[in-house]
Every structure is written in C-alpha cells, then in structure tokens.
Amino acid sequence: MGLFSKLLAVLADDALLARDVKRSLVDGLYQPFASLAVGAASGTIVATAAALWSNDLTITLTAVAVTFIGLSRVILTRIYLKRGPEKGDRYESWENYFSIGAFAFAASLGVLSFLITTRSSNIALQVITPTFTIGYAAGISGRNAGRPLLAIAQVLLSAMPLSAGLLMSGDGERASLGILSLLFAYGMIDITLSTREIIVSALVTTREKEALAEKFKAQASLFDIALRNMSHGLCMFDAAGKLQVWNEQFIAISGIPPSCVHTGIPAELLYELSRAVIDPTVRGQIPTNSQLSIEANTLKSRNLVLKLPDDRVVSLVQRQTAEKGSVIIFEDITERRRNEARIQQMASYDDLTGLLNRNSFRARVSEALRTNIKYSGGFAVHLLDLDHFKVINDTMGHPAGDRLLQMVADRLRAIGTISRSVARLGGDEFVIIQHSVDSQTIAMELAQCILRELEQPFEIDGISVAVGASIGIALAPYHADDEDRLLKCADIALYAVKADGRSGFKVFQHEMELATRARHAVESDLRNALTNGEFELHYQPIVDPNTGAVVSCEALIRWRHPAAGYIPPSEFIPVAEDTGLILPIGNWVLNEACREARNWPHDVSVAVNLSPRQFSDPQLAFQVVSALARSGLSARRLELEITEGVTLGATQKVVETIDALRELGVRLSLDDFGTGYSSLSYLRKFAFDKLKIDRSFVLDLEKTAESAAIVRAIVGMGRSIGMIIVVEGVETEAQLSILRAEGCDLVQGYFLSRPVASPQIRSMLANAEPLTKLASSV
C-alpha cells in the first residue's frame, strides 16, 4: 500500500510539472543514445541465440519480433536526435512514440523469457535469456525513471512473464527464482520512484537557476539595448561627479569627441568640453560649474534648451538620483522645433499659395477693427473671385489650376500696399485688407490696380491663359463693424459683379442685398424646377440664306416659374453653373431635344448647347449615347455646340472627349467664335464641323466696313479648313443680304424666326416654306 501511495503522489506531482521540465524529461528518454543502442543490440544477440538454439517456431518468431522492435527504436531515436530544436515542440507525441516502442520491446522480451523457460530444454538459453531480462529491467528503472509509469510498465512487462514461466515450471528451485524475480520487480519499482524524485528535483532546481540567470542576463541585455537605441543622449554620474554610464547618442548630440569620454571622467571636464560646441549666444543658459559638478548637497535639477553652432537645438534635463548621483538626458529637438514652426505656418497660412488663410484673415480683420478705426480711420475688404477658373480647372486639370492660383497669389503679393494683407479663403477666392481707407475712391483705385494685374495672361504649361477677376468691396466701419458682416457685404458686392457679367468690381450697396436674396430665391426654386417639370425647350431655326430652307434648329431652354412666369436664361443659367445644377439640367435638355427632333424631317438636325461644366463631366459621352438610344434619333442629326472656354488649354482630357463624341457620329460646333481667347489656335487643334460667328460682329454690319471685313475673313478662313460658317443675331434684311453676299453658309436670328415652342416648330418644318421669303414678307 505504501508503494501504491508513493506512486499516486508521484503521478500527482508529475501533472503539476512545468512544460519545459516535462520536455526535458522526455528528452532524457532518448538520451544517451548509446545505452539504448546497446540494449537493442544485446536484445538482438539474445534473440538470435534463442532462434538458432531452440528449434521452436514460436520462440523464433518472438526472437524476430525482439530484433525488429529493437532496431525500430534505434531508428526512431536517431530521427528524434536529428530534429534538433524542433523536437521539443511536440514532446507529447514523441513521448508516445517512445512509450509504444518501449512497451513492445519489454513485452516481447518478457514473452521470449517465458517461452524459453517453459518450452526450451537448452540450459544456456535458460540462463542467458532470464539473466538479460532481469538486467534489462534493472537498467530501465534507472534510465527511464523520469517518466515513472513508462519505467514501471517496462519492468512489469519484462519481469512478470519471466516470473510466471519460472513459477509454472513445477521445479522448486525455479519456483524460488520466480518469487525472487517478483520481489526484484517490486524493488525496481520502488527504486524507479525514488530515482524519479531525485531527477525531477535536480532538474527543477537547475531550471530555476537557469531561468534566474537568463532573467538577469535578459534584463542586462534589455538595458544595454535600450541605452544603445535611445533617441536621447544619456550620461550618469556617481555621487563624486564621475562619469559611469553613457550612450552613443550622448556623444552624437553633445558634439564631444568620443576619445575624450571614458569611465571616471569628471563632470567639470565634460562641461568644459561642451562649452567649445555651445553657441556663445546662449552660453549664459548653461549652469555654472558648481551646478553641473554633481557635488552632493549642491546639485540642482535643471531643464535647459541650448542652441548649437550647427543650428541644432538641444534640450538638457538634469535630475538627481537617490544615491546623490545625477542623470543628464540630452534630446535633439531641432526637428520638433521645425515641426512646431511648420504647424504654426500651416495654422496661419494657406499651404498652396503661402498667403494668409481664413483664420488668419479673421484675426487680421478683428485687429483692424480694434486698431485701424481707432487710430487710422477705416479700412476696406476686397473679396476677389477668379473668372473662368472652373473652366481651367476642369479642362486643364487640377495641377494647372493649382499653378494658376499660385501665380495669382504672386501677383497680389507684388502689389506693395497689400503684400502682407492678402489671404486665400479657399478655391479661387481671395480676400485683401486695405488699411487707412477713408473713402470709396481709395478702395476703387486699388481694385482697378488688382484687375489690371490679373487681366494680363498667365503662362501655364506653355499655354497663354486669360482669367480676369471679379471683386466685391466692403468698407469698415461704414458697411459693418464685425468681420462676419463685413465679409458678407463684400460677398454680396461680388455677387453683384458676377450678375453683371463678371470682370469688374463693385462697392457694397444696401440695394445689392435685396438682389442677392432674390438670387438665392432663384437658386432655391431652381433646385425644384426640374423635378416639377417647369422647364421647356424652344427652338430657333438655322437657315440656308440662299434657299431659306431650315437646316437645323437650336434648342434653347426656358423656365416657366409657377409664380414669376418666364424667367430669362440670363438670370438662372449663371446660377445653375455656379451651383452645379447645370449638369442634371443639361442632361434633361439633351434628352428632350433628341426626343423632339425625332418628329422632324430627316434632313433637319437639332443643336444643343453644352456648358463647360457639362463638358468636364466624364459621363458626357455616355449621356449622349443614352439620349440617342432613348429617342431613336440618328447621331448625324445631333449637333453639340461648345464655347471656346471648353477648349481652353486643349488638354488630353478635352481631346479624348471630343474624339469620343466624333466617333459616335455627332457633329460639333464652336459657338460664340471671336468672343473668347486665342480663337485661331483652337481651330488648328480641333476639327469642328461648324463655326458660329457671334452676334456682336453682326450689330454694326450695315454701318461699318470693318465688321463686314471681319466676317469675310472668318468665312474665308473657315472654308479653307472645311468648316461650315453660321452667323448668329441676324435681325434685318440688310444684314441678311450682306451675309449672303459674303458667302455665309447658314444664318440664325430674329429676322428669320424667334425661338418657338415644340408645336410651332413642328408646324413650321411641316410647312417647308422658305424662311427668307417669309421674313422678307413680314
């Protein structure tokens, strides 16, 4: 019972062992390799003798099993030992592999001993086999004691069959040997348990010592790694002021030569060495020798910021230790100071242009309200918005738009009186504070100066670009005495400039606020107009001046407001452009025009105007395809009229869009020719089907020869490059006669027909009466 209790205690203790201890015990089963190999070889020799001398098939087969199992265990052990560190990752499996082999070898050896004892008459075998079996059991109890169940099972599997065979022989002497072998097995089990206790205790103690040593080593290594990899410089002095510890960063940051730094160097010497690299302008910040001498009772904690000759800025923190020593930490804060300056720059200035930003502008206005009005009179706020910026940004790309904003900022900065008072609020919106303004005239003079500067063309990627600007002006304190109201007044004045056609300036008037409110009302109603079906299209014929036949009709949008009646396009189209509503409205116009043109004669096409915002929409080509597909209209009967602003910059994006539309079979017209930019350059770059001469060239056609000469030149140029020339704004018979004489291909205007609704245009086209004849009879 005592042995059984001891076994239970050992098993309970084994369950509590750490994983690494168990791994080591399993490792011990496979080592030393020599003892296991010798055991297997000895078993093979005994088994071979039994097979040769017994003349018994059962004994022979059992002997073969002993030999095979022994050889397999040797191979398994070699595999385990060759796996190296990987073998411990699955120690439970390797313990099972070993146990199976051990059990099989012990059992086969025990069975062989039993068979020799009971079936063989060979005296040599009866002596050799039991002797080897008892020796094997004795060796196992010590060798595998670390895994007690395994060792005990091996002892029992090898010794018990031998004891059974001796007891069954019927011979008193052999029976006595059988009893002795049982007592031997009991003793081996007790020895195994005791040995296991010694092995585990020694292993645990060794592991604890190794773990403690590794811990101390790891801590020392971590401290060394931390010291070497600190971004800060560190040096530590003892109570006597002698250097004990430092790192490479301390040397790099302080600039002290490495050859001068060694253990035991006094702090005073380090101080003298450091004085040579400290900027003399800040040397007064450094503590005196007595403060840095690390002397007991006189040491003071210090936080200093030092500037070195190479423009680096170093922070020095000195702290006293509990042992009356000192630790001094050096940190290179140069980049931090630069970042702080950069953050301050970003907080106050626009990142793209370097001008003041919105927050800085508001601060400047607040300051001006506090100081200028009190000491220097009033001041003006000029709110500036670039004309045609969206066209440039959409057609030439955002990088080009950014470069334009930078060039505008440079020109504004170059105006000396406002160089430090220009801000960018965002997008293409700038604002200028003009100090010491006591009359509108002074503010207007500056606005004229700004406009002159911005009217000069800008060179972007080799392309000359003209933009111009619109400026709204508000005066403080006359118009407002707080920054929000002041900026709002300038914004209202700016809207008034835009409403009058841009490219100018206005000083805020209270009447403008009413107009702005009306504009906002238009914007609000415009958002619902498309949904409510308030838009309709009218069509103006485009006529052959020689035959009077209608060749095409231009679709012109009209807005029938439920309360205000018809609202002119000049009032709502600019609002639609500014708000982006022109995109859904333009798509509706495209679909409605195609649907209506489907009902016209097959030789009459429909012309639809495209705004720059529409042309920059990547979905434009898809929308054209969809409109043609829904209506069933042939692509050759659709003309898209494009203003010169669309082609500004002639970017790859513009070229690709024009090519995509031409591939569809749609015809393209260049509208309002002569009113925009370097018109001739676009005729070289794009193959338009039609060229529409703006109505401004027709107004004085009857009065001045110059107008006729201009028209004649355009017609000749257009024909030379294969373009059809269309003249807009024909309002008299005399104008029509001149244009016919000059060889214009097509004409359009009130003299021929005003824009009419769908039923009237259908009737007109069905009648097929020449419009020139009808017009002349009016």
Side-chain angles (χ1 to χ4, degrees), residues 82 111 123 172-173 234 237 241 258 323 419 528 546 554 596 714 764:
K82 284 185 177 181
V111 170
I123 299 300
E173 294 176 354
L234 179 144
F237 300 88
E323 294 77 18
S419 60
N528 300 318
N546 298 309
E554 182 178 359
E596 173 60 31
I714 296 175
M764 185 183 299

Side-chain angles (χ1 to χ4, degrees), residues 235-246 261-270 292-296 324-328:
C235 59
M236 186 168 66
F237 300 88
D238 60 17
K242 305 294 184 181
L243 182 65
Q244 300 297 316
V245 176
W246 69 93
V261 180
H262 55 81
T263 303
I265 185 174
E268 291 89 341
L269 182 55
L270 281 179
L292 195 62
S293 62
I294 325 298
E295 293 178 1
K324 303 302 181 181
S326 176
V327 174
I328 303 177

Side-chain angles (χ1 to χ4, degrees), residues 45 102 221 375 615:
I45 294 172
S221 177
Y375 301 107
F615 202 83

Side-chain angles (χ1 to χ4, degrees), residues 651-772:
T651 63
Q652 185 62 29
K653 181 179 178 182
V654 170
V655 174
E656 289 175 356
T657 303
I658 288 179
D659 289 345
L661 293 174
R662 293 186 68 86
E663 287 177 5
L664 294 175
V666 174
R667 289 183 286 178
L668 300 177
S669 297
L670 183 60
D671 197 13
D672 298 335
F673 181 77
T675 62
Y677 312 97
S678 303
S679 305
L680 297 179
S681 65
Y682 302 125
L683 297 183
R684 294 198 309 268
K685 294 175 182 176
F686 301 100
F688 289 99
D689 298 287
K690 290 183 179 180
L691 188 69
K692 297 190 75 173
I693 301 176
D694 185 70
R695 66 182 67 248
S696 61
F697 295 103
V698 182
L699 291 176
D700 298 328
L701 199 59
E702 304 165 68
K703 302 175 183 178
T704 64
E706 289 82 358
S707 295
I710 292 174
V711 171
R712 188 181 310 118
I714 296 175
V715 170
M717 177 190 62
R719 283 185 172 174
S720 68
I721 57 178
M723 296 179 68
I724 297 173
I725 306 300
V726 184
V727 181
E728 300 178 295
V730 180
E731 298 184 357
T732 67
E733 186 173 2
Q735 291 173 349
L736 179 61
S737 297
I738 295 173
L739 293 173
R740 186 187 292 122
E742 295 295 343
C744 294
D745 298 301
L746 300 172
V747 291
Q748 175 183 0
Y750 282 3
F751 178 71
L752 302 166
S753 174
R754 289 179 175 271
V756 296
S758 296
Q760 286 83 4
I761 198 66
R762 291 184 192 178
S763 176
M764 185 183 299
L765 295 174
N767 186 32
E769 185 74 18
L771 286 190
T772 51

